[in-house]
Amino acid sequence: MAEHNMDLSAEFLAIAACPACHAKFAVDYDRAELVCTNESCGLAYPVRDQIPVLLIDQARSTL
């Protein structure tokens, strides 16, 4: 599997929130995603070329 280089700053992660429910994110380095920590939401947003794609229609459901 290719290694994903996700160099997201601590400052960004401290303020980033899920666009759907406004919960904080967990970082999934293996899948190169930001995963919503709200158990009832569970959307995972892709990170492409080190840029988080925080569009609900681009998110993957983890539920």
Side-chain angles (χ1 to χ4, degrees), residues 26-38:
V27 181
D28 184 341
Y29 290 97
D30 292 332
R31 293 186 74 130
E33 292 178 332
L34 295 177
V35 182
C36 179
T37 58
N38 181 342

Side-chain angles (χ1 to χ4, degrees), residues 2-3 5 8 10-13 15 22 26 31 34 37 41-42 44-46 48-49 53 63:
E3 182 179 329
N5 182 11
L8 302 174
E11 292 85 2
F12 169 77
L13 293 173
I15 62 170
H22 309 290
R31 293 186 74 130
L34 295 177
T37 58
C41 179
Y45 297 86
R48 298 186 184 121
D49 298 322
V53 181
L63 302 179

